[in-house]
Amino acid sequence: MNKPILLILLSCLLAIGLHAENKSKKPTIFLIGDSTVKNGQGDGQGGLWGWGDALSQFVDTSRLNVENHAMGGTSSRSYRSKGLWSKVLPSIKPGDYVFIQFGHNDSGAVNDTIRARGTLKGTENKSVEIDNLLTGKHEFVHSYGWYLQQYVKEIKAKGAIPVIISPIPRNDWKNGSIIRNNQNYGLWAKKIARSEHVTFIDLNAKMASALDKIGQDAVMNTYFFKRDHTHTTAKGAVLAASMVVEGIQEEIKPLKPLMLKEPNIHFPVKKRIFLIGDSTVANGNDSIVGWGRELPAFFDSSRIEIINKARGGRSSRSYYYEGLWDEVLQQLKKGDYVLIQFGHNDTGNIDKAKFRGSLPGIGDEVQEITRPDDTHETVHTYGWYMKKYITDAKAKGCQVFVLSHIPRNRWPNDRVERVNTSFGLWSKQVAAETEVHFIDLNNSIADQYESMGQEQVAEFFVNDRTHTKVTGATYNAKTLAKFILAEKGSTLRNYVDRDALK
């Protein structure tokens, strides 16, 4: 082999090796705790967030990892008994940090048939022997302090650094101040930290002081919701995370340089829904309105952004030929959602203006045409174009929904016209073949139209039989949101605003 080329290859291999070594050396902060650290799946369902989900926005993640392994409903005891800790422990390496915050659920029943997660109060080395009514297992239940002590010892044994954090305060007030837990779990957490010579961050005191300054009225529905005095809103989670960072800067010198000096907080990071389709989906104008314009009213706007890329007059073919799909594809990222509805314009001319008709079916048939400007185009089936959108979006890591198109205001034989043997059928077949979600808007809305009657349905449409007014668009958007909420196999259902559907 040529000597210069060999030297270049060796240099590249060395660089790759150094990169891998540096990556493996990057420390990780592991978070363990309850729902105040990670609520639900960490996606803000119901508008509730844990501070662990916000913490990474304060951190230079190019030099420090943050992994949130907290689990809602757990106590210092049940996090171990459920096997959660045994899954985290093997991943911890020397130089890592483990932040521990428990307490909210430790005051529960020691033995019952519902949760059986309580621990004995205090820090003493005491225990009670039980036959667990929930699990059926024989068990020794220890004190809250004892469990914290076990975590600390096992973390140290891995060569990692434990950090004990007092539980965030609840939104409970007395005489104009947030009630502290400095006589129970906050105090006990502090005692264990001192006895084990590990860092203690008094998150309870820090956050309580910050909330006191804000005031009870201003805290309500901004940092906590009235309906829940334990779990924070996104803004409350950011506040709690900022208090943890303050504690890091005060107490943990090696981590202080890894905290961003001027963090640009965008929390929560919103999930995105991209809509592609025709004028029955597009935003439209003052008179013609597609359901895509009204869909955001039925989603949690604090967690989801709906980007309507539908375009009037387009078919599955013309949306692709004109490069509109390429523009969307460049914007798609892993975790996005894509909703696709075409069909209204796919019955148009194949080789004449407006050049938007697609071939029927879902097969691989093609037709070669020449446009007036002498450019050639290979026209595919409706299903081919739909599969193209789906496979491209899935390759980007997106979750895809195929929708049969909304019905027109046509009533042959006093029944709403359906597309069960054409685009509705082909949409369903494509969704099944590509294993994505399918919502049959055409049939479901047609059924509802028939229950209303022609006179009421006519009020949903402008003078033609295809395009809806704002009332029709809102009705169709609400119907779609209901179907998404019922789609149990999709995470998109978690972002539907249930109150808006009432």
Side-chain angles (χ1 to χ4, degrees), residues 307-324:
I307 302 168
N308 194 349
K309 291 292 184 178
R311 188 76 65 87
R314 271 56 180 189
S315 64
S316 65
R317 166 194 169 187
S318 61
Y319 198 89
Y320 177 74
Y321 181 81
E322 293 177 17
L324 299 173

Side-chain angles (χ1 to χ4, degrees), residues 218-418:
V219 165
M220 195 66 71
N221 287 330
T222 302
Y223 298 89
F224 289 89
F225 291 121
K226 286 184 179 179
R227 67 177 185 271
D228 189 319
H229 72 159
T230 300
H231 304 99
T232 51
T233 64
K235 195 165 185 177
V238 169
L239 175 64
S242 73
M243 297 293 100
V244 172
V245 170
E246 184 179 283
I248 290 171
Q249 292 169 331
E250 293 169 351
E251 305 290 344
I252 311 175
K253 289 183 179 179
L255 289 183
K256 185 176 179 179
L258 306 184
M259 301 297 108
L260 296 173
K261 292 182 179 179
E262 296 182 0
N264 188 12
I265 306 300
H266 293 287
F267 184 81
V269 177
K270 293 184 180 182
K271 291 288 187 179
R272 303 187 302 171
I273 302 174
F274 284 83
L275 309 179
I276 67 169
D278 53 38
S279 57
T280 63
V281 184
N283 289 333
N285 52 42
D286 291 338
S287 57
I288 295 175
V289 180
W291 56 257
R293 195 187 86 173
E294 305 307 308
L295 191 63
F298 302 101
F299 280 81
D300 181 352
S301 60
S302 72
R303 298 187 296 145
I304 204 90
E305 178 184 8
I306 298 179
I307 302 168
N308 194 349
K309 291 292 184 178
R311 188 76 65 87
R314 271 56 180 189
S315 64
S316 65
R317 166 194 169 187
S318 61
Y319 198 89
Y320 177 74
Y321 181 81
E322 293 177 17
L324 299 173
W325 173 242
D326 286 337
E327 292 177 12
V328 173
L329 190 59
Q330 290 175 11
Q331 298 177 54
L332 294 181
K333 297 178 182 178
K334 184 178 180 180
D336 288 339
Y337 300 89
V338 180
L339 274 58
I340 309 171
Q341 183 209 277
F342 287 106
H344 282 293
N345 299 315
D346 282 77
T347 57
N349 292 321
I350 292 176
D351 56 357
K352 298 176 183 177
K354 306 175 182 176
F355 295 96
R356 63 186 183 183
S358 58
L359 301 181
I362 66 169
D364 294 325
E365 299 87 353
V366 298
Q367 180 177 331
E368 303 293 337
I369 70 160
T370 302
R371 288 173 170 260
D373 61 359
D374 290 331
T375 58
H376 296 280
E377 181 188 358
T378 301
V379 181
H380 300 271
T381 64
Y382 169 80
W384 185 93
Y385 293 108
M386 297 292 280
K387 283 185 275 189
K388 175 64 176 172
Y389 301 139
I390 294 166
T391 53
D392 283 354
K394 287 178 72 176
K396 286 272 194 166
C398 302
Q399 194 174 128
V400 181
F401 285 73
V402 172
L403 320 173
S404 59
H405 63 258
I406 64 168
R408 289 183 166 94
N409 186 27
R410 290 178 178 168
W411 297 71
N413 302 317
D414 294 325
R415 297 287 305 277
V416 176
E417 183 180 76
R418 317 287 175 115

Side-chain angles (χ1 to χ4, degrees), residues 1-15:
M1 181 180 288
N2 186 285
K3 190 173 181 179
I5 294 176
L6 180 60
L7 289 172
I8 292 170
L9 287 173
L10 288 172
S11 298
C12 290
L13 290 170
L14 179 60

